[in-house]
Amino acid sequence: MGLVSDMKRRKIELEKKEKKRQRRKIAMTAAASTTLGLIGGMLLAPKSGKETVGDIKDKAKEANDLLKDKSLELKENVNEAKEKISEYIVEKKKSMCKCDLESDENIEEIVEEALEEAFKEVIKEEHNIVDDEETLGEIPQENMEEEK
């Protein structure tokens, strides 16, 4: 019985290797075909090679500039949100000092509430939401947990 199961296992392994080899062959054929198609398209294009290369360079430069702009915008938004959350936490810490806290659980609850409120403020500003408690109540809790 052990010999039969070993033979079946070996057969399955060989089939997997063959399928993997076939997938690799298909991928290489697709890559080669795509490359040949691009080269053929460039050679048969109505523009000269210099014009085509210039167009490609221009499009690549535009894409690079767009990527830089979007990444800077994202960085600014993240920094702004970070700053607002920090300010909000500082305000909450100041208000905590004024009240009499009995345990660490109270501190955790207050910090958690502060983070939730700060997150809601960031979402409101990011999506230009009017100060509406119903709209803010629709923010999924998992988004708030991810931010923590």
Side-chain angles (χ1 to χ4, degrees):
M1 193 97 147
L3 182 60
V4 174
S5 64
D6 286 342
M7 289 176 64
K8 286 182 181 179
R9 184 181 47 80
R10 177 72 177 148
K11 183 180 177 183
I12 292 171
E13 287 176 7
L14 289 174
E15 288 173 352
K16 285 182 180 179
K17 285 182 182 180
E18 180 63 24
K19 286 181 182 179
K20 187 176 181 180
R21 188 183 66 76
Q22 287 176 348
R23 285 191 297 258
R24 212 180 280 151
K25 186 176 177 181
I26 290 171
M28 292 298 290
T29 303
S33 299
T34 303
T35 304
L36 289 174
L38 284 172
I39 291 171
M42 286 182 175
L43 292 174
L44 299 174
K47 293 183 180 181
S48 70
K50 288 182 179 180
E51 290 175 2
T52 303
V53 170
D55 288 347
I56 292 171
K57 284 181 181 178
D58 291 342
K59 293 293 182 184
K61 188 174 183 338
E62 287 175 20
N64 188 28
D65 292 343
L66 180 65
L67 182 62
K68 284 181 183 178
D69 291 343
K70 291 293 181 181
S71 64
L72 287 174
E73 183 179 325
L74 178 63
K75 184 178 178 182
E76 289 172 4
N77 289 343
V78 168
N79 286 336
E80 185 177 315
K82 182 180 171 184
E83 184 178 308
K84 287 181 181 184
I85 290 172
S86 296
E87 289 173 4
Y88 193 80
I89 289 175
V90 167
E91 289 176 21
K92 283 296 181 179
K93 282 182 181 179
K94 288 179 183 177
S95 68
M96 283 191 314
C97 291
K98 294 177 184 175
C99 59
D100 185 28
L101 299 174
E102 296 177 7
S103 68
D104 289 340
E105 291 175 333
N106 288 344
I107 293 173
E108 289 177 10
E109 288 176 17
I110 292 173
V111 170
E112 191 172 311
E113 288 175 12
L115 285 173
E116 286 179 14
E117 289 181 32
F119 181 73
K120 286 179 182 179
E121 288 295 320
V122 169
I123 294 295
K124 278 181 11 184
E125 287 188 14
E126 185 71 25
H127 298 287
N128 298 323
I129 296 174
V130 181
D131 199 11
D132 182 9
E133 289 300 320
E134 291 176 16
T135 305
L136 293 177
E138 296 172 4
I139 297 172
Q141 290 296 323
E142 66 254 8
N143 287 350
M144 289 185 200
E145 290 172 6
E146 287 174 9
E147 292 295 320
K148 294 176 188 174

